[in-house]
Short mmCIF file of all heavy atoms in Angstrom, two decimals:
data_model
loop_
_atom_site.label_atom_id
_atom_site.label_comp_id
_atom_site.label_asym_id
_atom_site.label_seq_id
_atom_site.Cartn_x
_atom_site.Cartn_y
_atom_site.Cartn_z
N VAL A 612 -12.65 -38.60 44.60
CA VAL A 612 -14.00 -37.84 44.60
C VAL A 612 -15.14 -38.86 44.43
O VAL A 612 -14.90 -39.98 43.95
CB VAL A 612 -14.07 -36.80 43.49
CG1 VAL A 612 -13.10 -35.60 43.77
CG2 VAL A 612 -13.81 -37.33 42.09
N ASP A 613 -16.29 -38.39 44.83
CA ASP A 613 -17.52 -39.20 44.71
C ASP A 613 -18.09 -39.15 43.32
O ASP A 613 -18.73 -40.09 42.86
CB ASP A 613 -18.54 -38.74 45.71
CG ASP A 613 -18.06 -38.80 47.12
OD1 ASP A 613 -17.72 -39.97 47.61
OD2 ASP A 613 -17.88 -37.76 47.78
N ALA A 614 -17.90 -38.00 42.67
CA ALA A 614 -18.50 -37.82 41.35
C ALA A 614 -17.63 -36.94 40.49
O ALA A 614 -16.86 -36.14 40.97
CB ALA A 614 -19.93 -37.24 41.48
N ALA A 615 -17.82 -37.05 39.19
CA ALA A 615 -17.18 -36.10 38.26
C ALA A 615 -18.19 -35.59 37.26
O ALA A 615 -19.06 -36.30 36.80
CB ALA A 615 -16.04 -36.85 37.46
N VAL A 616 -18.13 -34.26 37.00
CA VAL A 616 -19.09 -33.62 36.12
C VAL A 616 -18.27 -33.08 34.95
O VAL A 616 -17.41 -32.19 35.15
CB VAL A 616 -19.87 -32.50 36.76
CG1 VAL A 616 -20.93 -31.97 35.83
CG2 VAL A 616 -20.55 -32.98 38.04
N LEU A 617 -18.52 -33.57 33.75
CA LEU A 617 -17.86 -33.04 32.54
C LEU A 617 -18.71 -31.78 32.15
O LEU A 617 -19.81 -31.94 31.70
CB LEU A 617 -17.84 -34.03 31.41
CG LEU A 617 -16.92 -33.78 30.23
CD1 LEU A 617 -16.71 -35.05 29.44
CD2 LEU A 617 -17.51 -32.69 29.35
N VAL A 618 -18.14 -30.63 32.35
CA VAL A 618 -18.87 -29.40 32.13
C VAL A 618 -18.56 -28.70 30.81
O VAL A 618 -19.45 -28.24 30.08
CB VAL A 618 -18.67 -28.35 33.24
CG1 VAL A 618 -19.72 -27.27 33.22
CG2 VAL A 618 -18.69 -29.02 34.69
N THR A 619 -17.29 -28.65 30.44
CA THR A 619 -16.86 -27.94 29.24
C THR A 619 -16.53 -28.90 28.15
O THR A 619 -15.85 -29.93 28.40
CB THR A 619 -15.64 -27.06 29.56
OG1 THR A 619 -15.89 -26.22 30.71
CG2 THR A 619 -15.28 -26.14 28.39
N ASP A 620 -16.92 -28.61 26.95
CA ASP A 620 -16.70 -29.51 25.83
C ASP A 620 -15.31 -29.32 25.22
O ASP A 620 -15.18 -29.15 23.97
CB ASP A 620 -17.78 -29.46 24.80
CG ASP A 620 -18.18 -28.02 24.36
OD1 ASP A 620 -17.72 -27.08 25.03
OD2 ASP A 620 -18.90 -27.85 23.41
N HIS A 621 -14.28 -29.31 26.02
CA HIS A 621 -12.93 -29.31 25.50
C HIS A 621 -12.67 -30.60 24.58
O HIS A 621 -13.04 -31.72 25.07
CB HIS A 621 -11.92 -29.30 26.61
CG HIS A 621 -11.83 -28.00 27.35
ND1 HIS A 621 -11.67 -26.76 26.66
CD2 HIS A 621 -11.80 -27.69 28.64
CE1 HIS A 621 -11.63 -25.76 27.53
NE2 HIS A 621 -11.73 -26.29 28.74
N PRO A 622 -12.10 -30.42 23.45
CA PRO A 622 -11.95 -31.57 22.55
C PRO A 622 -11.26 -32.79 23.28
O PRO A 622 -11.52 -33.89 22.99
CB PRO A 622 -11.17 -31.08 21.38
CG PRO A 622 -10.78 -29.63 21.72
CD PRO A 622 -11.59 -29.21 22.82
N GLU A 623 -10.26 -32.43 24.14
CA GLU A 623 -9.48 -33.47 24.76
C GLU A 623 -10.37 -34.38 25.61
O GLU A 623 -10.07 -35.63 25.74
CB GLU A 623 -8.49 -32.86 25.82
CG GLU A 623 -7.30 -32.01 25.21
CD GLU A 623 -7.71 -30.60 24.77
OE1 GLU A 623 -8.98 -30.31 24.86
OE2 GLU A 623 -6.82 -29.85 24.45
N TYR A 624 -11.50 -33.98 26.09
CA TYR A 624 -12.36 -34.77 26.92
C TYR A 624 -13.04 -35.92 26.14
O TYR A 624 -13.47 -36.88 26.70
CB TYR A 624 -13.41 -33.94 27.69
CG TYR A 624 -12.76 -33.03 28.78
CD1 TYR A 624 -13.44 -31.91 29.19
CD2 TYR A 624 -11.52 -33.32 29.25
CE1 TYR A 624 -12.91 -31.09 30.14
CE2 TYR A 624 -10.93 -32.48 30.21
CZ TYR A 624 -11.61 -31.39 30.66
OH TYR A 624 -11.07 -30.55 31.63
N GLY A 625 -13.11 -35.74 24.82
CA GLY A 625 -13.73 -36.77 23.98
C GLY A 625 -12.87 -38.06 24.03
O GLY A 625 -13.42 -39.18 23.70
N ALA A 626 -11.57 -37.90 24.31
CA ALA A 626 -10.70 -39.13 24.31
C ALA A 626 -10.53 -39.68 25.70
O ALA A 626 -9.75 -40.61 25.91
CB ALA A 626 -9.32 -38.63 23.75
N LEU A 627 -11.31 -39.22 26.66
CA LEU A 627 -11.14 -39.78 28.01
C LEU A 627 -11.55 -41.29 28.08
O LEU A 627 -12.45 -41.65 27.32
CB LEU A 627 -11.98 -39.03 29.01
CG LEU A 627 -11.53 -37.61 29.28
CD1 LEU A 627 -12.59 -36.86 30.21
CD2 LEU A 627 -10.21 -37.55 30.01
N SER A 628 -10.86 -42.08 28.92
CA SER A 628 -11.34 -43.41 29.07
C SER A 628 -11.69 -43.72 30.45
O SER A 628 -11.16 -43.12 31.47
CB SER A 628 -10.15 -44.35 28.59
OG SER A 628 -9.12 -44.25 29.50
N PRO A 629 -12.65 -44.64 30.66
CA PRO A 629 -13.16 -44.89 32.00
C PRO A 629 -12.19 -45.44 33.01
O PRO A 629 -12.28 -45.19 34.20
CB PRO A 629 -14.30 -46.00 31.76
CG PRO A 629 -14.15 -46.39 30.34
CD PRO A 629 -13.33 -45.41 29.60
N GLU A 630 -11.06 -46.07 32.51
CA GLU A 630 -10.15 -46.69 33.40
C GLU A 630 -9.51 -45.67 34.40
O GLU A 630 -9.44 -45.97 35.64
CB GLU A 630 -8.97 -47.37 32.58
CG GLU A 630 -9.36 -48.62 31.89
CD GLU A 630 -10.25 -48.39 30.68
OE1 GLU A 630 -10.13 -47.33 30.02
OE2 GLU A 630 -11.18 -49.22 30.37
N LEU A 631 -9.18 -44.50 33.89
CA LEU A 631 -8.59 -43.45 34.78
C LEU A 631 -9.57 -43.11 35.87
O LEU A 631 -9.18 -42.94 37.05
CB LEU A 631 -8.22 -42.22 33.91
CG LEU A 631 -7.75 -40.99 34.72
CD1 LEU A 631 -6.31 -41.25 35.22
CD2 LEU A 631 -7.77 -39.74 33.87
N PHE A 632 -10.82 -42.96 35.57
CA PHE A 632 -11.88 -42.58 36.53
C PHE A 632 -12.05 -43.70 37.58
O PHE A 632 -12.20 -43.46 38.73
CB PHE A 632 -13.13 -42.24 35.79
CG PHE A 632 -13.09 -40.98 34.98
CD1 PHE A 632 -12.29 -40.89 33.82
CD2 PHE A 632 -13.77 -39.81 35.40
CE1 PHE A 632 -12.19 -39.65 33.12
CE2 PHE A 632 -13.66 -38.62 34.68
CZ PHE A 632 -12.89 -38.54 33.58
N LEU A 633 -12.03 -44.93 37.06
CA LEU A 633 -12.24 -46.10 37.95
C LEU A 633 -11.11 -46.21 38.93
O LEU A 633 -11.22 -46.43 40.16
CB LEU A 633 -12.34 -47.40 37.20
CG LEU A 633 -13.61 -47.62 36.39
CD1 LEU A 633 -13.54 -48.69 35.37
CD2 LEU A 633 -14.77 -47.93 37.38
N GLU A 634 -9.85 -45.89 38.41
CA GLU A 634 -8.65 -45.98 39.27
C GLU A 634 -8.67 -44.86 40.38
O GLU A 634 -8.33 -45.12 41.54
CB GLU A 634 -7.44 -45.77 38.47
CG GLU A 634 -6.79 -47.00 37.91
CD GLU A 634 -5.76 -46.63 36.81
OE1 GLU A 634 -5.11 -45.59 36.97
OE2 GLU A 634 -5.67 -47.40 35.84
N GLN A 635 -9.02 -43.67 39.96
CA GLN A 635 -8.79 -42.48 40.81
C GLN A 635 -9.99 -42.18 41.76
O GLN A 635 -9.81 -41.71 42.90
CB GLN A 635 -8.55 -41.25 40.02
CG GLN A 635 -7.37 -41.36 39.02
CD GLN A 635 -6.10 -41.05 39.71
OE1 GLN A 635 -5.98 -41.14 40.96
NE2 GLN A 635 -5.10 -40.73 39.00
N MET A 636 -11.21 -42.35 41.27
CA MET A 636 -12.34 -41.89 42.03
C MET A 636 -12.75 -42.88 43.16
O MET A 636 -12.56 -44.08 42.99
CB MET A 636 -13.62 -41.72 41.10
CG MET A 636 -13.45 -40.52 40.14
SD MET A 636 -14.77 -40.51 38.90
CE MET A 636 -16.23 -40.41 39.95
N ALA A 637 -13.34 -42.28 44.18
CA ALA A 637 -13.88 -43.15 45.29
C ALA A 637 -15.26 -43.61 44.91
O ALA A 637 -15.62 -44.75 45.15
CB ALA A 637 -13.89 -42.33 46.58
N GLY A 638 -16.01 -42.73 44.22
CA GLY A 638 -17.36 -43.09 43.84
C GLY A 638 -17.45 -43.40 42.36
O GLY A 638 -16.37 -43.52 41.71
N ASP A 639 -18.64 -43.54 41.82
CA ASP A 639 -18.78 -43.95 40.45
C ASP A 639 -19.71 -43.09 39.59
O ASP A 639 -20.04 -43.42 38.45
CB ASP A 639 -19.26 -45.43 40.38
CG ASP A 639 -20.60 -45.61 41.02
OD1 ASP A 639 -21.20 -44.63 41.50
OD2 ASP A 639 -21.13 -46.73 41.04
N VAL A 640 -20.05 -41.91 40.12
CA VAL A 640 -21.08 -41.06 39.39
C VAL A 640 -20.36 -40.14 38.39
O VAL A 640 -19.46 -39.38 38.79
CB VAL A 640 -21.95 -40.28 40.36
CG1 VAL A 640 -22.74 -39.22 39.64
CG2 VAL A 640 -22.83 -41.25 41.22
N ILE A 641 -20.77 -40.18 37.18
CA ILE A 641 -20.31 -39.26 36.12
C ILE A 641 -21.48 -38.56 35.52
O ILE A 641 -22.47 -39.22 35.11
CB ILE A 641 -19.62 -40.01 35.00
CG1 ILE A 641 -18.59 -41.04 35.46
CG2 ILE A 641 -18.98 -39.01 34.00
CD1 ILE A 641 -17.28 -40.51 35.96
N ILE A 642 -21.43 -37.20 35.52
CA ILE A 642 -22.50 -36.46 34.83
C ILE A 642 -21.79 -35.82 33.61
O ILE A 642 -20.92 -34.99 33.73
CB ILE A 642 -23.11 -35.31 35.69
CG1 ILE A 642 -23.49 -35.80 37.09
CG2 ILE A 642 -24.27 -34.63 34.95
CD1 ILE A 642 -24.80 -36.57 37.19
N ASP A 643 -22.24 -36.21 32.43
CA ASP A 643 -21.65 -35.80 31.20
C ASP A 643 -22.61 -34.74 30.55
O ASP A 643 -23.53 -35.14 29.84
CB ASP A 643 -21.44 -36.99 30.27
CG ASP A 643 -20.91 -36.63 28.90
OD1 ASP A 643 -20.52 -35.48 28.72
OD2 ASP A 643 -20.86 -37.51 28.04
N THR A 644 -22.37 -33.49 30.85
CA THR A 644 -23.35 -32.42 30.38
C THR A 644 -23.29 -32.20 28.91
O THR A 644 -24.11 -31.51 28.35
CB THR A 644 -23.18 -31.12 31.13
OG1 THR A 644 -21.90 -30.52 30.71
CG2 THR A 644 -23.11 -31.31 32.66
N ARG A 645 -22.24 -32.67 28.25
CA ARG A 645 -22.00 -32.44 26.83
C ARG A 645 -22.18 -33.68 25.95
O ARG A 645 -21.86 -33.61 24.80
CB ARG A 645 -20.62 -31.82 26.59
CG ARG A 645 -20.32 -30.59 27.44
CD ARG A 645 -20.93 -29.37 26.87
NE ARG A 645 -20.44 -28.11 27.55
CZ ARG A 645 -20.66 -26.92 27.10
NH1 ARG A 645 -21.30 -26.67 25.99
NH2 ARG A 645 -20.23 -25.87 27.82
N ALA A 646 -22.53 -34.78 26.61
CA ALA A 646 -22.67 -36.04 25.86
C ALA A 646 -21.40 -36.33 25.01
O ALA A 646 -21.53 -36.65 23.85
CB ALA A 646 -23.92 -36.03 24.98
#
Side-chain angles (χ1 to χ4, degrees):
V612 292
D613 301 298
V616 184
L617 193 164
V618 195
T619 308
D620 49 349
H621 287 310
E623 292 81 352
Y624 292 159
L627 290 173
S628 68
E630 288 71 33
L631 175 72
F632 290 69
L633 286 165
E634 267 167 35
Q635 304 275 21
M636 287 172 59
D639 60 0
V640 169
I641 311 283
I642 310 282
D643 175 10
T644 71
R645 304 281 188 167

